Amino acid sequence: MMEYFELVRTAFIVVGFLLAMSRDRVTWMTVDLIASVVMGAAWVFIPQIVLGFHTEGELNGIHLFLGRVFGVVMLCGAVKMYLNYRSHDSYAQVMLLASRIVSTSILLIVLAHSVYGDRLAGKVEEAPPKPKEGEKPAPTPAKGVVFNDQWRSLNMTAVICALLGNVVWFLKSRHYGGHTSLDSLLNIHLRVDFFVTLIMGVVWLAYTPTILGFKLGVTAPDTVQVHFGQVLGAMLIGDAILSAVAPGFLFEEDKRNVLLGRVVMLIASTLVGVYTVFYAAAFEDKHPIVSVVLDLVWIVNAILGYKYAPHETSNYRSPPRKTRRTPDQHDE
């Protein structure tokens, strides 16, 4: 029965992917947006149900916290897509696809490593020796919370479809080049956001156990916790790409929307952390001062850029008609 259900679920995802791909770029991005909102909301509001469906073992507050933060990042990516995917600047749309390609590519690598990493490295789990007559069998060592086969099949299918859809429409896009960007304060804030977000993403991706221990006090993270940290890193790296290319967007509103998405993400993830620490009492922030300083730099830059930073065209005014030079005057 379970195999039949998995087959139907996989077929549903593939058929939905093909239908979304058969139309145009906006249709594909709309389907991607809806899927991100649905899945992000599920991870934020009912992580215990979603994780219970995909894992084996006893969940704790750390798992639920990481699941909620993952949902927040997914929802904020959907916010950026909603604000910019119908932009009149095709370059902004194409770069949304590019950022999601980077995220899903790293996600696929992380997912493949979690499923096949031990086999590729030659680590084969040996069966415990058979007990001698009259002896009790040796207890099986605890592995903590692990993913089940349903999680592997569902996520591999979903991530591959998302990656292929974004790659196809990215390659079919004709308007790839950006626009001239001057050194405005808004563009500087976008570049700072790129740098900070990229550093955060790389640290989470490459040093997940260290960050979990430093930030959350997890001394021996299990497979699920490490995977969530790496997924967060992958999504932040892809998000950083969007901030890096945003100075080349044609319209000022599209640039500010990138920073608005960052503000929403940081505020929402902070609220999730406060809820987890004080209400759910799942963990204690081991280094609150360091965390506050890093988050403040991140969010203050985003708020200043979104709300207050002038752009190169903000105060531009066309010269009076009488003072305009004719083409002949330019040649003199």
Side-chain angles (χ1 to χ4, degrees):
M1 183 66 181
M2 184 58 67
E3 292 180 357
Y4 175 76
F5 172 73
E6 291 184 8
L7 182 62
V8 171
R9 182 181 60 190
T10 302
F12 178 79
I13 294 174
V14 173
V15 170
F17 161 73
L18 294 175
L19 289 175
M21 283 292 301
S22 64
R23 301 296 297 275
D24 52 27
R25 184 172 66 195
V26 173
T27 301
W28 165 255
M29 297 179 75
T30 302
V31 172
D32 193 3
L33 170 64
I34 294 172
S36 298
V37 170
V38 172
M39 291 304 301
W43 279 108
V44 170
F45 296 107
I46 50 172
Q48 63 278 9
I49 296 178
V50 180
L51 277 171
F53 182 73
H54 292 293
T55 59
E56 298 174 358
E58 186 176 353
L59 299 170
N60 57 33
I62 303 294
H63 298 100
L64 301 184
F65 168 73
L66 292 173
R68 286 192 172 99
V69 173
F70 169 63
V72 164
V73 176
M74 185 177 290
L75 284 175
C76 292
V79 168
K80 292 184 180 182
M81 178 170 286
Y82 173 76
L83 293 173
N84 282 356
Y85 83 111
R86 287 187 178 274
S87 171
H88 294 291
D89 179 13
S90 295
Y91 179 65
Q93 296 182 16
V94 174
M95 288 301 101
L96 279 170
L97 294 174
S99 67
R100 296 181 84 81
I101 287 172
V102 173
S103 295
T104 49
S105 297
I106 302 175
L107 276 174
L108 185 60
I109 295 172
V110 169
L111 185 60
H113 180 268
S114 66
V115 175
Y116 305 109
D118 289 342
R119 300 179 190 175
L120 294 175
K123 298 179 181 178
V124 180
E125 186 175 347
E126 298 181 357
K130 295 182 179 180
K132 297 179 181 179
E133 187 176 351
E135 292 183 351
K136 294 182 179 180
T140 304
K143 297 181 180 179
V145 182
V146 296
F147 288 111
N148 55 27
D149 292 335
Q150 296 183 36
W151 171 83
R152 296 184 180 94
S153 61
L154 174 63
N155 280 271
M156 288 291 281
T157 304
V159 172
I160 289 174
C161 287
L163 177 59
L164 288 177
N166 288 318
V167 167
V168 168
W169 284 111
F170 177 78
L171 295 177
K172 291 178 69 174
S173 300
R174 292 178 295 175
H175 306 287
Y176 181 83
H179 307 279
T180 301
S181 59
L182 304 179
D183 288 330
S184 69
L185 283 177
L186 176 57
N187 288 340
I188 291 175
H189 282 290
L190 284 166
R191 293 176 184 128
V192 171
D193 184 74
F194 155 70
F195 175 74
V196 177
T197 307
L198 180 65
I199 293 299
M200 291 290 190
V202 171
V203 169
W204 269 106
L205 180 65
Y207 304 105
T208 302
T210 302
I211 297 301
L212 289 174
F214 176 82
K215 176 69 177 171
L216 307 180
V218 181
T219 56
D222 57 36
T223 303
V224 175
Q225 293 167 346
V226 172
H227 178 76
F228 266 125
Q230 293 174 334
V231 167
L232 290 174
M235 298 183 74
L236 288 175
I237 291 173
D239 214 14
I241 299 301
L242 190 61
S243 296
V245 299
F249 289 176
L250 182 61
F251 300 110
E252 177 182 347
E253 181 182 4
D254 294 340
K255 298 183 179 186
R256 295 192 187 276
N257 286 338
V258 173
L259 293 174
L260 176 60
R262 178 76 65 241
V263 172
V264 173
M265 185 196 81
L266 293 173
I267 292 177
S269 58
T270 299
L271 292 176
V272 169
V274 169
Y275 167 82
T276 307
V277 171
F278 294 101
Y279 182 78
F283 64 85
E284 178 182 355
D285 197 333
K286 297 298 181 180
H287 300 274
I289 302 300
V290 176
S291 302
V292 168
V293 171
L294 292 176
D295 291 343
L296 275 178
V297 171
W298 210 358
I299 194 169
V300 167
N301 173 74
I303 291 175
L304 290 177
Y306 169 70
K307 191 68 178 176
Y308 301 107
H311 194 35
E312 62 258 21
T313 59
S314 298
N315 299 318
Y316 178 79
R317 295 291 183 274
S318 297
R321 182 178 298 274
K322 292 183 180 180
T323 62
R324 294 180 185 173
R325 305 177 68 184
T326 65
D328 295 335
Q329 290 175 322
H330 281 284
D331 293 336
E332 292 178 358

